[in-house]
Amino acid sequence: MTGKPTLTLIRYCFVSVFFVLGYLYFLMLCPAHLAYQEQMQLFRLDLLYFQEFLKQPGGLSLYAGSFLTQFFINPALAALIVTTIGIATWFLSVQILKRFDITGPLPGLFPPLLVFALQSHQEFLMGHVIAFIVPLAFSLVFIHLRSTTTQIILSAIGLPALYLISGGWVLLAALVCLLYELLNARNVQIALFILAVSLVAPVLSSRFLFVIPPAQPILTPLPKAPGFNQILNLSSLIAFFPLAVSGSFILNFKRNQKQWSQNKPIVATGLLIAAISGTAIYLYKTSYDYKTELLLRVDQAFVNHQDDRVLELADQYPGSNQFITYYTNLSLARQGRLTDQLFNYNQIGTKGLYLPWQYNSPLFGSEVFYELNYTNEAYRWAFEAMETTRINPRSLKQLILTSLINTQYEVAKKYLNLLTHSLFYRDWARHYRELADHPELVETDPELATKRRFAINTDFWADDDNFEAILELLLQNHPENRVAFEYLMAYQMLEKDASGFIGNLPRLAQRGYTRLPRHIEEGLLAYSSLVKDEFPKGYNIRTETRQRLSGYAQIFRSNSQSMQHAASLLFKDYGNTYWFYLHFFSLPHKN
């Protein structure tokens, strides 16, 4: 028979395993989610930054969360911080539930489990968790007080202060304290006083302290949980304590009022472990987004100039995605391999070469213009990224680099000043501040010096809806811009634009190609009946490419009655050719 010490040991071992798995979950499965949060904000050690948070209820919790989020730059540290916050949530939950005679370490695991599920989404910020934890700490202090006078004073002063710290989450603390007074202390007067203060404080604050709409005092800073599953998780977190406490009271789940047999604690422990494990599996399946994690890892690898890693991750993505294709093509172009290996990876037409102008897309969409040496447009998209989201280190870096390229040193200094007040970007900022203070040093920076030589020297309209025209205009300014040329050839191949492709063949020699890229060879053979005088002089199509076409054509002709069957036979050996794309990829606007 299992003794009480053994049962206690089993419970705490389960708790330990729970948090170890939580740490590994965020370290191994969600590192890019947390890194994205760090990239979407810039915590600054200056008064103006702090004052911005004082303009809304709950701002202090968001400020504390922003402080912690800056450490998410390190994956191991990020996972440790999230896990530590989870442990704090568990400890407070256990202590509060104990006051309602819900004992043991296991029931307190449900709140951190829900917090972990919420933090599996890249938009759920650490500040929201802090805003949840602070009311728990307040509730724990309140229900430990014995003096009615002290409770009144704490309610009168503490609840309004708590509203300033945690915003609408003050109602959670008020509800826990109210239930305690009604169910345990039987003090209706204190309960009514708590209810009154918790409702009046937000209303008065919205009228005299904060400039917020009348409906917002209670909802700020509750996060906007995207998707049904996250809404369900957030609702469950808010409702957990009221439901647990009320359920315990209704069911009379008090050990001192009912004689328990020795087996019932064992059964209860087993049921709780099963319930927690089952909930964890359910939340993992509904809250963990593998595809988004992969997308964010691709983005992170590209920003860190890990192009081989980008291509490796792109191969792992299930199905098609514009974001994945966009970064795949960018990495190939940065390595000078776009017209050699474009069709080695999944293509979705020309929309895989750039991103449309939508919310959040400027943050990522500026990258293609920077790589194309279209500096002014990269600057514009980076600036708009901060307008549509908030000040972030990634956009600031882009603004600084493009300003230095364009010799706008005072503008660069303005953005450098922001990075200088950060903890992890100040060294980077100091390096480029040296260049801004001494412009002659810019030419010693290989990246900036190279891009400066591609400065636009004519005026033209930046048409976001005509990417091909932008490429043509870039080449008119600088015919030697090889990245722009490769993008133009890729665009025309993806668009199946035979005349455009053929018309650009004479430009190959101007770009310093020592041989024909593989997909250019495949295009030449595909359009051989149209290519006459335009065949690039000084180049030959390799024998192996001609042999591949012969093998492709033989299989295609033999199975031309069923295109689906032909595609299935050709895909394994020829799916990475331009010919396969020509025959089996349907453009949205063409038959």
Side-chain angles (χ1 to χ4, degrees), residues 71-200:
F71 297 100
F72 286 7
I73 196 169
N74 181 292
L77 195 53
L80 180 62
I81 290 171
V82 173
T83 306
T84 302
I85 293 295
I87 293 172
T89 304
W90 167 77
F91 176 79
L92 291 170
S93 301
V94 168
Q95 297 304 314
I96 290 172
L97 293 173
K98 188 188 297 183
R99 301 296 295 180
F100 292 94
D101 294 317
I102 303 175
T103 58
L106 297 181
L109 286 176
F110 285 102
L113 184 56
L114 289 166
V115 167
F116 285 171
L118 286 165
Q119 289 195 287
S120 296
H121 195 280
Q122 68 275 10
E123 298 292 346
F124 190 85
L125 306 179
M126 178 58 69
H128 297 137
V129 185
I130 302 295
F132 167 72
I133 288 178
V134 175
L136 293 187
F138 177 90
S139 303
L140 185 59
V141 171
F142 180 90
I143 62 182
H144 273 83
L145 295 176
R146 293 286 181 264
S147 169
T148 301
T149 304
T150 308
Q151 287 180 325
I152 291 174
I153 293 172
L154 180 62
S155 300
I157 299 174
L159 287 174
L162 186 61
Y163 179 68
L164 299 179
I165 296 171
S166 292
W169 287 101
V170 68
L171 293 184
L172 176 63
L175 195 54
V176 172
C177 296
L178 186 147
L179 287 171
Y180 181 78
E181 290 302 316
L182 289 177
L183 302 181
N184 287 40
R186 307 289 198 276
N187 194 328
V188 178
Q189 291 82 1
I190 293 291
L192 291 175
F193 182 75
I194 291 169
L195 182 62
V197 174
S198 62
L199 292 176
V200 169

